[in-house]
Amino acid sequence: MTYIAKPRLHHPSLAKNRVGFTRRDYEGKISTLCAGCGHDSISASIIQACWELDIEPHRVAKLSGIGCSSKTPDYFLGNSHGFNTVHGRMPSVLTGAYLANRELIYLGVSGDGDSASIGLGQFAHVMRRGVNMTYLVENNGVYGLTKGQFSATADKGSRSKKGQSNNDAPIDLVTLALVMGATFVARGFSGDKTQLVPLLRAALAHQGAAVIDILSPCITFNNHSGSTKSYDYVREHNEAVNRLDFIPLREEITADYAAGELVAVRQHDGSVVHLRKLHADYDPTDRIRAMSYIQEHAARGEVVTGLLYVDPEAADLHRQLGTVEQPLNTLGAAELCPGSKALEKINAALR
Amino acid sequence: MQKIEAINDFVVKFANINGSGSASANELFARAILRMGVPVSPRNIFPSNIQGLPTWFEVRVTEHGYLGRRGGVDLMVAMNPQSWEQDVREIDPGGYLFYDSSKAVPRSRLRSDIHVLGMPLTEICNDTYSDSRERQLFKNIIYVGALTTLLDIDPQEIEKLFGEQYKGKEKLFDSNLQALNLGREYARQHLKPIALKVERRDRVGDMIFTDGNSAAALGCIYGGATVCAWYPITPSSSVPEAFERYAKKLRTDPVSGEKRYSIVQAEDELASIGMVIGAGWNGARAFTSTSGPGISLMAEFIGLAYFAEIPAVLINVQRGGPSTGMPTRTQQADVLACAYASHGDTKHVLLFPEDPYECFEMSAQALDLAERLQTPVFVMTDLDIGMNQRLCRPFAWDDSREYDRGKVMTREALDAGSDFGRYLDVDGDGIPYRTYPGTHPTKGGYFTRGTTKNAYAVYSEAGADYIYNMQRLRQKFETAKSLVPLPVLTAARYPARFAAILYGSTGPAMQEALDALAEQGIYINALRVRAFPFQNEIADFIAAHSKVFVFEQNFDGQLTTLLINEAHVNPASLIPVLHYDGTPITARFITQEIAERVARLNVRPLREHMVA
Ligand SMILES: Cc1ncc(C[n+]2csc(CCOP(=O)(O)OP(=O)(O)O)c2C)c(N)n1
Ligand code: SF4
Ligand SMILES: [Mg+2]
């Protein structure tokens, strides 16, 4: 556990962003996870991404399931509302929250047990519906909170700390998300913030179902040799397909890029994702190709990371439903109650 | 042979084959009587099947306005050879059997104590129509025609109903009318008259005719629900379907065409309740509707909403259990499952509507209660109320009524320095303040969770914090007593030692039974419980009687258990009387049970002063 309180004064970044907040304003309670847990690095990346994006912290709603990973929303964005729901069912709660108020930014935080085991159904369906959210799976291949049982993302043949071998085929959440219609699909690694922060920024700006599967080693139960989710293993097998620069809508594009290997993807809200291609043949707007690419590399034991797919014209659930612009939770009786006159007419039609 | 004679007070039962198009013809029959100013109460008794299995439609014709099921059958319209034996058996002695005589029925399969009216319907149809679908559909209209002659139902009323149904479709209007007249003419020429008659009255008044599920949906519209999440299950599916129908008309922006509501058909009940809870957490009024199996799936989430204190409305259209049970039959068998839904010490608010009027009222009220109490609220209707059309008082709405959004701390209050403790009891009623997500940049944010926490929503496993919270929840449940609808007393004409407690769809049958018992000199006070938690009035009522019959449509006497547990009444004074075969309880059942039990309790009913 990280017992040491972070000293306020010596914090590295007290600079304010455009909306007047310091990075500290995006922090939360002190983490109670194991020191070195990948999940804490992800929280730090979330803080960084939100600060950089100039999001007002309270405009974010954080929802999670149950697990070590699902506890983390308490450890970032302390002024935001959070909801630690039930195991595997965060997607439905997030969907309902999103229906109620389309104006907030929804961040779903889950684990591999939460999303791939007990919650596989809700994971799939929330992608199908195009709920406008950023869905993070903090994937360590085990159930951390219940002390190290295999989860459904554990690779076949990988070994547990106690030496048991996993015989079941793994579920690849990235592939599943692609099949189910997610419109922004990425994979990151908790140990690579340079890659993860821009991915988070782009996902948060994406107006549709964005999912990032983040390999996030469990230092306590799944960081030994024989594990395929350990820091060492992931570092050795990481195949980044691209490097990403995310440029929000209002920012000018200032960076200089060498000609050639750069792809610019303009998202629905006008923001631009600049991708520096690391694999020449990778096209992140081709869903079918993305799926086969991931499979081909997985077969070679490689873990493909980066922005794997983005649909710049993503539609979200509210657009599909045709709901009013104004958040439903702000409508009052004047907008919602048809009144007694209309009721008399209804009565008359029932006689 | 005896002949049942009755004017405006009898039961006609139609035995049909599911999927044969009989439903609309039978409804036409019921509506025509209604239009003659005579109340009717129809009930569908249908199988869990789309086509082929037996289905029944029972029409209670009741000048007195008894809208419950009476029990017994005076006229059976037996159109289904599969269920013939059972249908013929069910007719009261002296009653009537109307059947398709195209194929001769041997005497042995008939009864000598009933009046038999055969009409060669298939033959007539085959002679008149060449298309097989027409033969089938018009057969239904032809028998309705014959019945109008037999029962003196005004054919003008049917003609008017055709006119409304087939507006602008002249051909259909003509062919239906022709079929009707074909039946009328045959009956006039060939069938013996019977002694059941409909006479025009003015007893329907301004009452409306609708089903409980549509009424509940309309209640959700009026009550301000903007999020509906559901998963199909009989008998509740028509709630969200009606919600969509009404919302399209009443909640669509006339200019932009945008919707002021959202409906999601979820992947299962785990998801539907999850969505409702997410929406409730985020400050929208949300509901789901389901039935027993759905409640079981939702249990974990219901506990979360209870403990994290999130408004949610669940309309439970109960059906026969356990498990898949009798999915198309009615019961009140989820009382305990809902009252105590989920693990740990949980308790929930239940409302028990008796008819569509109360489905409307209580669904709207449930949305207020859920937000006032920040907790799940169950509207405990059932298949009998939900899926049958019933006469009831017209819906009413007071335009000055405002939604009770409960204790919500605003940005202004936070800025003014209010002490915000999400689980802090500031008013002594056990109800804390909440904030909606996104309210304030630096104040009022908190982490909602199902784990224990202190009054300021900070994770805590401290015993004192847990105890504070649980006792506050109990206080909140006490507060609920003053907010939920009071029971309704029907007092006997004379002081009574015995009483009945009832709830939900038993209401209408009880009304008729009480009158019938009074006729026999048995006087009973009846209290219709309309909500849980139970108010003191209920315990007082029980204490004031030596024996109280608790009428329930389940096997275990679930409300009785709940009364003993929660109202702390003397168990010895409660006598559960249970009707649980899946059909709606009847007035005759209630009358007989009470009469027998009163006799067994060795009390001689007297007409004057102290009586049973
Ligand atoms: C219905 C239910 N079943 C089981 C549990 C116990 N449980 C808590 S966390 C967890 C697994 C979490 O694994 P994962 O989502 O991978 O999170 P991690 O701890 O690895 O971050 C389980 C099985 C629970 N909370 N609820
Ligand atoms: S058990 Fe594993 S997942 Fe949980 S906090 Fe510790 S390192 Fe992280
Ligand atoms: Mg895990």
Side-chain angles (χ1 to χ4, degrees), chain A residues 81-82 84 97 106 129 329 336 339-340, chain B residues 206 209 222 251 259 267 282 395 399 435 448:
Chain A
H81 277 66
N84 192 191
Y106 292 91
R129 292 194 182 99
N329 71 350
L336 300 177
S340 62
Chain B
D206 69 346
F209 190 58
Y222 273 74
R251 286 278 197 79
K259 296 171 181 168
E267 59 271 30
N282 214 359
F395 302 134
D399 287 327
T435 51
T448 311

mmCIF file with all atom_site columns, all heavy atoms in Angstrom, chain A residues 81-82 84 97 106 129 329 336 339-340, chain B residues 206 209 222 251 259 267 282 395 399 435 448:
data_model
loop_
_atom_site.group_PDB
_atom_site.id
_atom_site.type_symbol
_atom_site.label_atom_id
_atom_site.label_alt_id
_atom_site.label_comp_id
_atom_site.label_asym_id
_atom_site.label_entity_id
_atom_site.label_seq_id
_atom_site.pdbx_PDB_ins_code
_atom_site.Cartn_x
_atom_site.Cartn_y
_atom_site.Cartn_z
_atom_site.occupancy
_atom_site.B_iso_or_equiv
_atom_site.pdbx_formal_charge
_atom_site.auth_seq_id
_atom_site.auth_comp_id
_atom_site.auth_asym_id
_atom_site.auth_atom_id
_atom_site.pdbx_PDB_model_num
ATOM 1   N N   . HIS A 1 81  ? -17.949 13.137 -9.624  1.00 0.00 ? 81  HIS A N   1
ATOM 2   C CA  . HIS A 1 81  ? -18.787 12.084 -9.066  1.00 0.00 ? 81  HIS A CA  1
ATOM 3   C C   . HIS A 1 81  ? -18.295 10.740 -9.586  1.00 0.00 ? 81  HIS A C   1
ATOM 4   O O   . HIS A 1 81  ? -17.957 10.622 -10.769 1.00 0.00 ? 81  HIS A O   1
ATOM 5   C CB  . HIS A 1 81  ? -20.244 12.280 -9.481  1.00 0.00 ? 81  HIS A CB  1
ATOM 6   C CG  . HIS A 1 81  ? -20.978 13.262 -8.616  1.00 0.00 ? 81  HIS A CG  1
ATOM 7   N ND1 . HIS A 1 81  ? -20.670 14.579 -8.584  1.00 0.00 ? 81  HIS A ND1 1
ATOM 8   C CD2 . HIS A 1 81  ? -22.010 13.082 -7.752  1.00 0.00 ? 81  HIS A CD2 1
ATOM 9   C CE1 . HIS A 1 81  ? -21.489 15.198 -7.732  1.00 0.00 ? 81  HIS A CE1 1
ATOM 10  N NE2 . HIS A 1 81  ? -22.313 14.309 -7.216  1.00 0.00 ? 81  HIS A NE2 1
ATOM 11  N N   . GLY A 1 82  ? -18.259 9.778  -8.695  1.00 0.00 ? 82  GLY A N   1
ATOM 12  C CA  . GLY A 1 82  ? -17.848 8.441  -9.108  1.00 0.00 ? 82  GLY A CA  1
ATOM 13  C C   . GLY A 1 82  ? -18.878 7.434  -8.660  1.00 0.00 ? 82  GLY A C   1
ATOM 14  O O   . GLY A 1 82  ? -19.678 7.707  -7.761  1.00 0.00 ? 82  GLY A O   1
ATOM 15  N N   . ASN A 1 84  ? -18.912 3.293  -7.960  1.00 0.00 ? 84  ASN A N   1
ATOM 16  C CA  . ASN A 1 84  ? -18.337 1.966  -7.899  1.00 0.00 ? 84  ASN A CA  1
ATOM 17  C C   . ASN A 1 84  ? -19.545 1.029  -7.838  1.00 0.00 ? 84  ASN A C   1
ATOM 18  O O   . ASN A 1 84  ? -20.195 0.922  -6.812  1.00 0.00 ? 84  ASN A O   1
ATOM 19  C CB  . ASN A 1 84  ? -17.535 1.933  -6.588  1.00 0.00 ? 84  ASN A CB  1
ATOM 20  C CG  . ASN A 1 84  ? -16.621 0.751  -6.446  1.00 0.00 ? 84  ASN A CG  1
ATOM 21  O OD1 . ASN A 1 84  ? -16.095 0.535  -5.367  1.00 0.00 ? 84  ASN A OD1 1
ATOM 22  N ND2 . ASN A 1 84  ? -16.420 -0.022 -7.480  1.00 0.00 ? 84  ASN A ND2 1
ATOM 23  N N   . ALA A 1 97  ? -26.616 6.403  -16.954 1.00 0.00 ? 97  ALA A N   1
ATOM 24  C CA  . ALA A 1 97  ? -26.152 7.736  -16.586 1.00 0.00 ? 97  ALA A CA  1
ATOM 25  C C   . ALA A 1 97  ? -26.032 8.606  -17.841 1.00 0.00 ? 97  ALA A C   1
ATOM 26  O O   . ALA A 1 97  ? -26.433 9.764  -17.863 1.00 0.00 ? 97  ALA A O   1
ATOM 27  C CB  . ALA A 1 97  ? -24.804 7.648  -15.873 1.00 0.00 ? 97  ALA A CB  1
ATOM 28  N N   . TYR A 1 106 ? -18.038 10.584 -19.835 1.00 0.00 ? 106 TYR A N   1
ATOM 29  C CA  . TYR A 1 106 ? -18.167 9.338  -19.082 1.00 0.00 ? 106 TYR A CA  1
ATOM 30  C C   . TYR A 1 106 ? -16.913 8.485  -19.209 1.00 0.00 ? 106 TYR A C   1
ATOM 31  O O   . TYR A 1 106 ? -16.461 8.191  -20.311 1.00 0.00 ? 106 TYR A O   1
ATOM 32  C CB  . TYR A 1 106 ? -19.408 8.565  -19.539 1.00 0.00 ? 106 TYR A CB  1
ATOM 33  C CG  . TYR A 1 106 ? -20.647 9.330  -19.133 1.00 0.00 ? 106 TYR A CG  1
ATOM 34  C CD1 . TYR A 1 106 ? -21.226 10.261 -19.995 1.00 0.00 ? 106 TYR A CD1 1
ATOM 35  C CD2 . TYR A 1 106 ? -21.158 9.201  -17.853 1.00 0.00 ? 106 TYR A CD2 1
ATOM 36  C CE1 . TYR A 1 106 ? -22.311 11.019 -19.596 1.00 0.00 ? 106 TYR A CE1 1
ATOM 37  C CE2 . TYR A 1 106 ? -22.245 9.957  -17.444 1.00 0.00 ? 106 TYR A CE2 1
ATOM 38  C CZ  . TYR A 1 106 ? -22.817 10.861 -18.313 1.00 0.00 ? 106 TYR A CZ  1
ATOM 39  O OH  . TYR A 1 106 ? -23.875 11.620 -17.901 1.00 0.00 ? 106 TYR A OH  1
ATOM 40  N N   . ARG A 1 129 ? -24.080 -0.448 -28.613 1.00 0.00 ? 129 ARG A N   1
ATOM 41  C CA  . ARG A 1 129 ? -25.009 0.685  -28.549 1.00 0.00 ? 129 ARG A CA  1
ATOM 42  C C   . ARG A 1 129 ? -24.340 2.012  -28.855 1.00 0.00 ? 129 ARG A C   1
ATOM 43  O O   . ARG A 1 129 ? -25.008 3.026  -28.978 1.00 0.00 ? 129 ARG A O   1
ATOM 44  C CB  . ARG A 1 129 ? -25.641 0.766  -27.165 1.00 0.00 ? 129 ARG A CB  1
ATOM 45  C CG  . ARG A 1 129 ? -26.567 -0.380 -26.908 1.00 0.00 ? 129 ARG A CG  1
ATOM 46  C CD  . ARG A 1 129 ? -27.460 -0.161 -25.707 1.00 0.00 ? 129 ARG A CD  1
ATOM 47  N NE  . ARG A 1 129 ? -28.252 -1.353 -25.561 1.00 0.00 ? 129 ARG A NE  1
ATOM 48  C CZ  . ARG A 1 129 ? -27.986 -2.340 -24.714 1.00 0.00 ? 129 ARG A CZ  1
ATOM 49  N NH1 . ARG A 1 129 ? -26.983 -2.231 -23.890 1.00 0.00 ? 129 ARG A NH1 1
ATOM 50  N NH2 . ARG A 1 129 ? -28.728 -3.413 -24.689 1.00 0.00 ? 129 ARG A NH2 1
ATOM 51  N N   . ASN A 1 329 ? -32.076 14.881 -17.652 1.00 0.00 ? 329 ASN A N   1
ATOM 52  C CA  . ASN A 1 329 ? -32.224 15.115 -16.211 1.00 0.00 ? 329 ASN A CA  1
ATOM 53  C C   . ASN A 1 329 ? -32.492 16.570 -15.860 1.00 0.00 ? 329 ASN A C   1
ATOM 54  O O   . ASN A 1 329 ? -32.705 16.891 -14.702 1.00 0.00 ? 329 ASN A O   1
ATOM 55  C CB  . ASN A 1 329 ? -31.004 14.576 -15.431 1.00 0.00 ? 329 ASN A CB  1
ATOM 56  C CG  . ASN A 1 329 ? -29.746 15.400 -15.665 1.00 0.00 ? 329 ASN A CG  1
ATOM 57  O OD1 . ASN A 1 329 ? -29.708 16.262 -16.538 1.00 0.00 ? 329 ASN A OD1 1
ATOM 58  N ND2 . ASN A 1 329 ? -28.704 15.129 -14.887 1.00 0.00 ? 329 ASN A ND2 1
ATOM 59  N N   . LEU A 1 336 ? -42.253 17.655 -19.423 1.00 0.00 ? 336 LEU A N   1
ATOM 60  C CA  . LEU A 1 336 ? -42.498 16.207 -19.375 1.00 0.00 ? 336 LEU A CA  1
ATOM 61  C C   . LEU A 1 336 ? -43.949 15.811 -19.156 1.00 0.00 ? 336 LEU A C   1
ATOM 62  O O   . LEU A 1 336 ? -44.395 14.763 -19.619 1.00 0.00 ? 336 LEU A O   1
ATOM 63  C CB  . LEU A 1 336 ? -41.645 15.580 -18.257 1.00 0.00 ? 336 LEU A CB  1
ATOM 64  C CG  . LEU A 1 336 ? -40.127 15.762 -18.403 1.00 0.00 ? 336 LEU A CG  1
ATOM 65  C CD1 . LEU A 1 336 ? -39.410 15.175 -17.204 1.00 0.00 ? 336 LEU A CD1 1
ATOM 66  C CD2 . LEU A 1 336 ? -39.630 15.121 -19.697 1.00 0.00 ? 336 LEU A CD2 1
ATOM 67  N N   . GLY A 1 339 ? -50.181 17.062 -18.884 1.00 0.00 ? 339 GLY A N   1
ATOM 68  C CA  . GLY A 1 339 ? -51.240 17.856 -18.261 1.00 0.00 ? 339 GLY A CA  1
ATOM 69  C C   . GLY A 1 339 ? -52.629 17.259 -18.358 1.00 0.00 ? 339 GLY A C   1
ATOM 70  O O   . GLY A 1 339 ? -52.863 16.265 -19.048 1.00 0.00 ? 339 GLY A O   1
ATOM 71  N N   . SER A 1 340 ? -53.555 17.891 -17.643 1.00 0.00 ? 340 SER A N   1
ATOM 72  C CA  . SER A 1 340 ? -54.893 17.300 -17.482 1.00 0.00 ? 340 SER A CA  1
ATOM 73  C C   . SER A 1 340 ? -55.716 17.329 -18.774 1.00 0.00 ? 340 SER A C   1
ATOM 74  O O   . SER A 1 340 ? -56.532 16.449 -19.013 1.00 0.00 ? 340 SER A O   1
ATOM 75  C CB  . SER A 1 340 ? -55.645 18.010 -16.364 1.00 0.00 ? 340 SER A CB  1
ATOM 76  O OG  . SER A 1 340 ? -55.813 19.366 -16.697 1.00 0.00 ? 340 SER A OG  1
ATOM 77  N N   . ASP B 2 206 ? -68.768 7.664  -16.742 1.00 0.00 ? 206 ASP B N   1
ATOM 78  C CA  . ASP B 2 206 ? -67.566 8.205  -17.386 1.00 0.00 ? 206 ASP B CA  1
ATOM 79  C C   . ASP B 2 206 ? -66.370 7.279  -17.217 1.00 0.00 ? 206 ASP B C   1
ATOM 80  O O   . ASP B 2 206 ? -65.227 7.666  -17.448 1.00 0.00 ? 206 ASP B O   1
ATOM 81  C CB  . ASP B 2 206 ? -67.248 9.611  -16.851 1.00 0.00 ? 206 ASP B CB  1
ATOM 82  C CG  . ASP B 2 206 ? -66.796 9.577  -15.398 1.00 0.00 ? 206 ASP B CG  1
ATOM 83  O OD1 . ASP B 2 206 ? -66.982 8.529  -14.729 1.00 0.00 ? 206 ASP B OD1 1
ATOM 84  O OD2 . ASP B 2 206 ? -66.255 10.599 -14.925 1.00 0.00 ? 206 ASP B OD2 1
ATOM 85  N N   . PHE B 2 209 ? -62.008 2.232  -20.128 1.00 0.00 ? 209 PHE B N   1
ATOM 86  C CA  . PHE B 2 209 ? -61.779 0.807  -20.316 1.00 0.00 ? 209 PHE B CA  1
ATOM 87  C C   . PHE B 2 209 ? -60.360 0.641  -20.835 1.00 0.00 ? 209 PHE B C   1
ATOM 88  O O   . PHE B 2 209 ? -60.058 0.990  -21.979 1.00 0.00 ? 209 PHE B O   1
ATOM 89  C CB  . PHE B 2 209 ? -62.810 0.312  -21.343 1.00 0.00 ? 209 PHE B CB  1
ATOM 90  C CG  . PHE B 2 209 ? -62.887 -1.179 -21.511 1.00 0.00 ? 209 PHE B CG  1
ATOM 91  C CD1 . PHE B 2 209 ? -63.174 -2.011 -20.436 1.00 0.00 ? 209 PHE B CD1 1
ATOM 92  C CD2 . PHE B 2 209 ? -62.708 -1.746 -22.763 1.00 0.00 ? 209 PHE B CD2 1
ATOM 93  C CE1 . PHE B 2 209 ? -63.283 -3.391 -20.614 1.00 0.00 ? 209 PHE B CE1 1
ATOM 94  C CE2 . PHE B 2 209 ? -62.817 -3.121 -22.958 1.00 0.00 ? 209 PHE B CE2 1
ATOM 95  C CZ  . PHE B 2 209 ? -63.101 -3.936 -21.869 1.00 0.00 ? 209 PHE B CZ  1
ATOM 96  N N   . TYR B 2 222 ? -46.735 10.687 -17.142 1.00 0.00 ? 222 TYR B N   1
ATOM 97  C CA  . TYR B 2 222 ? -47.179 11.825 -16.326 1.00 0.00 ? 222 TYR B CA  1
ATOM 98  C C   . TYR B 2 222 ? -46.234 12.068 -15.155 1.00 0.00 ? 222 TYR B C   1
ATOM 99  O O   . TYR B 2 222 ? -46.021 13.201 -14.745 1.00 0.00 ? 222 TYR B O   1
ATOM 100 C CB  . TYR B 2 222 ? -48.639 11.640 -15.868 1.00 0.00 ? 222 TYR B CB  1
ATOM 101 C CG  . TYR B 2 222 ? -49.592 12.179 -16.906 1.00 0.00 ? 222 TYR B CG  1
ATOM 102 C CD1 . TYR B 2 222 ? -49.816 11.482 -18.081 1.00 0.00 ? 222 TYR B CD1 1
ATOM 103 C CD2 . TYR B 2 222 ? -50.197 13.426 -16.747 1.00 0.00 ? 222 TYR B CD2 1
ATOM 104 C CE1 . TYR B 2 222 ? -50.638 12.007 -19.078 1.00 0.00 ? 222 TYR B CE1 1
ATOM 105 C CE2 . TYR B 2 222 ? -51.026 13.951 -17.732 1.00 0.00 ? 222 TYR B CE2 1
ATOM 106 C CZ  . TYR B 2 222 ? -51.239 13.241 -18.891 1.00 0.00 ? 222 TYR B CZ  1
ATOM 107 O OH  . TYR B 2 222 ? -52.044 13.773 -19.876 1.00 0.00 ? 222 TYR B OH  1
ATOM 108 N N   . ARG B 2 251 ? -44.509 13.127 -25.880 1.00 0.00 ? 251 ARG B N   1
ATOM 109 C CA  . ARG B 2 251 ? -43.196 13.582 -25.436 1.00 0.00 ? 251 ARG B CA  1
ATOM 110 C C   . ARG B 2 251 ? -42.244 13.878 -26.603 1.00 0.00 ? 251 ARG B C   1
ATOM 111 O O   . ARG B 2 251 ? -41.036 13.858 -26.427 1.00 0.00 ? 251 ARG B O   1
ATOM 112 C CB  . ARG B 2 251 ? -42.561 12.505 -24.566 1.00 0.00 ? 251 ARG B CB  1
ATOM 113 C CG  . ARG B 2 251 ? -43.143 12.385 -23.187 1.00 0.00 ? 251 ARG B CG  1
ATOM 114 C CD  . ARG B 2 251 ? -42.531 13.433 -22.264 1.00 0.00 ? 251 ARG B CD  1
ATOM 115 N NE  . ARG B 2 251 ? -42.776 13.076 -20.887 1.00 0.00 ? 251 ARG B NE  1
ATOM 116 C CZ  . ARG B 2 251 ? -42.085 12.167 -20.219 1.00 0.00 ? 251 ARG B CZ  1
ATOM 117 N NH1 . ARG B 2 251 ? -41.092 11.555 -20.799 1.00 0.00 ? 251 ARG B NH1 1
ATOM 118 N NH2 . ARG B 2 251 ? -42.375 11.890 -18.976 1.00 0.00 ? 251 ARG B NH2 1
ATOM 119 N N   . LYS B 2 259 ? -36.901 13.646 -29.101 1.00 0.00 ? 259 LYS B N   1
ATOM 120 C CA  . LYS B 2 259 ? -37.623 12.948 -28.033 1.00 0.00 ? 259 LYS B CA  1
ATOM 121 C C   . LYS B 2 259 ? -37.220 13.430 -26.652 1.00 0.00 ? 259 LYS B C   1
ATOM 122 O O   . LYS B 2 259 ? -36.040 13.575 -26.372 1.00 0.00 ? 259 LYS B O   1
ATOM 123 C CB  . LYS B 2 259 ? -37.329 11.449 -28.122 1.00 0.00 ? 259 LYS B CB  1
ATOM 124 C CG  . LYS B 2 259 ? -37.836 10.828 -29.391 1.00 0.00 ? 259 LYS B CG  1
ATOM 125 C CD  . LYS B 2 259 ? -37.325 9.410  -29.524 1.00 0.00 ? 259 LYS B CD  1
ATOM 126 C CE  . LYS B 2 259 ? -37.834 8.791  -30.822 1.00 0.00 ? 259 LYS B CE  1
ATOM 127 N NZ  . LYS B 2 259 ? -37.142 7.540  -31.108 1.00 0.00 ? 259 LYS B NZ  1
ATOM 128 N N   . GLU B 2 267 ? -30.033 -5.990 -22.816 1.00 0.00 ? 267 GLU B N   1
ATOM 129 C CA  . GLU B 2 267 ? -29.707 -7.372 -23.161 1.00 0.00 ? 267 GLU B CA  1
ATOM 130 C C   . GLU B 2 267 ? -30.221 -8.365 -22.132 1.00 0.00 ? 267 GLU B C   1
ATOM 131 O O   . GLU B 2 267 ? -30.285 -9.563 -22.390 1.00 0.00 ? 267 GLU B O   1
ATOM 132 C CB  . GLU B 2 267 ? -28.191 -7.553 -23.349 1.00 0.00 ? 267 GLU B CB  1
ATOM 133 C CG  . GLU B 2 267 ? -27.347 -7.195 -22.130 1.00 0.00 ? 267 GLU B CG  1
ATOM 134 C CD  . GLU B 2 267 ? -26.924 -5.731 -22.098 1.00 0.00 ? 267 GLU B CD  1
ATOM 135 O OE1 . GLU B 2 267 ? -27.677 -4.889 -22.616 1.00 0.00 ? 267 GLU B OE1 1
ATOM 136 O OE2 . GLU B 2 267 ? -25.847 -5.428 -21.549 1.00 0.00 ? 267 GLU B OE2 1
ATOM 137 N N   . ASN B 2 282 ? -27.907 9.765  -11.820 1.00 0.00 ? 282 ASN B N   1
ATOM 138 C CA  . ASN B 2 282 ? -27.564 10.975 -12.563 1.00 0.00 ? 282 ASN B CA  1
ATOM 139 C C   . ASN B 2 282 ? -28.740 11.948 -12.648 1.00 0.00 ? 282 ASN B C   1
ATOM 140 O O   . ASN B 2 282 ? -28.728 12.859 -13.457 1.00 0.00 ? 282 ASN B O   1
ATOM 141 C CB  . ASN B 2 282 ? -27.099 10.582 -13.973 1.00 0.00 ? 282 ASN B CB  1
ATOM 142 C CG  . ASN B 2 282 ? -26.024 11.504 -14.504 1.00 0.00 ? 282 ASN B CG  1
ATOM 143 O OD1 . ASN B 2 282 ? -25.630 12.455 -13.828 1.00 0.00 ? 282 ASN B OD1 1
ATOM 144 N ND2 . ASN B 2 282 ? -25.567 11.245 -15.711 1.00 0.00 ? 282 ASN B ND2 1
ATOM 145 N N   . PHE B 2 395 ? -58.624 8.513  -15.559 1.00 0.00 ? 395 PHE B N   1
ATOM 146 C CA  . PHE B 2 395 ? -57.365 9.037  -15.015 1.00 0.00 ? 395 PHE B CA  1
ATOM 147 C C   . PHE B 2 395 ? -57.542 10.521 -14.703 1.00 0.00 ? 395 PHE B C   1
ATOM 148 O O   . PHE B 2 395 ? -58.249 11.238 -15.413 1.00 0.00 ? 395 PHE B O   1
ATOM 149 C CB  . PHE B 2 395 ? -56.235 8.902  -16.047 1.00 0.00 ? 395 PHE B CB  1
ATOM 150 C CG  . PHE B 2 395 ? -55.999 7.489  -16.502 1.00 0.00 ? 395 PHE B CG  1
ATOM 151 C CD1 . PHE B 2 395 ? -55.841 7.197  -17.858 1.00 0.00 ? 395 PHE B CD1 1
ATOM 152 C CD2 . PHE B 2 395 ? -55.931 6.447  -15.584 1.00 0.00 ? 395 PHE B CD2 1
ATOM 153 C CE1 . PHE B 2 395 ? -55.607 5.897  -18.287 1.00 0.00 ? 395 PHE B CE1 1
ATOM 154 C CE2 . PHE B 2 395 ? -55.693 5.136  -16.011 1.00 0.00 ? 395 PHE B CE2 1
ATOM 155 C CZ  . PHE B 2 395 ? -55.539 4.863  -17.362 1.00 0.00 ? 395 PHE B CZ  1
ATOM 156 N N   . ASP B 2 399 ? -53.087 19.802 -12.400 1.00 0.00 ? 399 ASP B N   1
ATOM 157 C CA  . ASP B 2 399 ? -52.018 20.538 -13.088 1.00 0.00 ? 399 ASP B CA  1
ATOM 158 C C   . ASP B 2 399 ? -51.126 21.341 -12.148 1.00 0.00 ? 399 ASP B C   1
ATOM 159 O O   . ASP B 2 399 ? -50.042 21.768 -12.543 1.00 0.00 ? 399 ASP B O   1
ATOM 160 C CB  . ASP B 2 399 ? -52.610 21.449 -14.168 1.00 0.00 ? 399 ASP B CB  1
ATOM 161 C CG  . ASP B 2 399 ? -53.103 20.628 -15.353 1.00 0.00 ? 399 ASP B CG  1
ATOM 162 O OD1 . ASP B 2 399 ? -52.481 19.590 -15.639 1.00 0.00 ? 399 ASP B OD1 1
ATOM 163 O OD2 . ASP B 2 399 ? -54.114 21.009 -15.973 1.00 0.00 ? 399 ASP B OD2 1
ATOM 164 N N   . THR B 2 435 ? -26.255 15.108 -4.431  1.00 0.00 ? 435 THR B N   1
ATOM 165 C CA  . THR B 2 435 ? -25.953 16.066 -5.493  1.00 0.00 ? 435 THR B CA  1
ATOM 166 C C   . THR B 2 435 ? -25.980 15.289 -6.798  1.00 0.00 ? 435 THR B C   1
ATOM 167 O O   . THR B 2 435 ? -25.677 14.095 -6.822  1.00 0.00 ? 435 THR B O   1
ATOM 168 C CB  . THR B 2 435 ? -24.542 16.674 -5.331  1.00 0.00 ? 435 THR B CB  1
ATOM 169 O OG1 . THR B 2 435 ? -23.602 15.606 -5.178  1.00 0.00 ? 435 THR B OG1 1
ATOM 170 C CG2 . THR B 2 435 ? -24.463 17.598 -4.130  1.00 0.00 ? 435 THR B CG2 1
ATOM 171 N N   . THR B 2 448 ? -19.846 7.176  -5.070  1.00 0.00 ? 448 THR B N   1
ATOM 172 C CA  . THR B 2 448 ? -20.970 6.313  -4.717  1.00 0.00 ? 448 THR B CA  1
ATOM 173 C C   . THR B 2 448 ? -20.499 4.867  -4.729  1.00 0.00 ? 448 THR B C   1
ATOM 174 O O   . THR B 2 448 ? -19.781 4.466  -5.642  1.00 0.00 ? 448 THR B O   1
ATOM 175 C CB  . THR B 2 448 ? -22.089 6.472  -5.758  1.00 0.00 ? 448 THR B CB  1
ATOM 176 O OG1 . THR B 2 448 ? -22.331 7.858  -5.953  1.00 0.00 ? 448 THR B OG1 1
ATOM 177 C CG2 . THR B 2 448 ? -23.352 5.781  -5.320  1.00 0.00 ? 448 THR B CG2 1
#
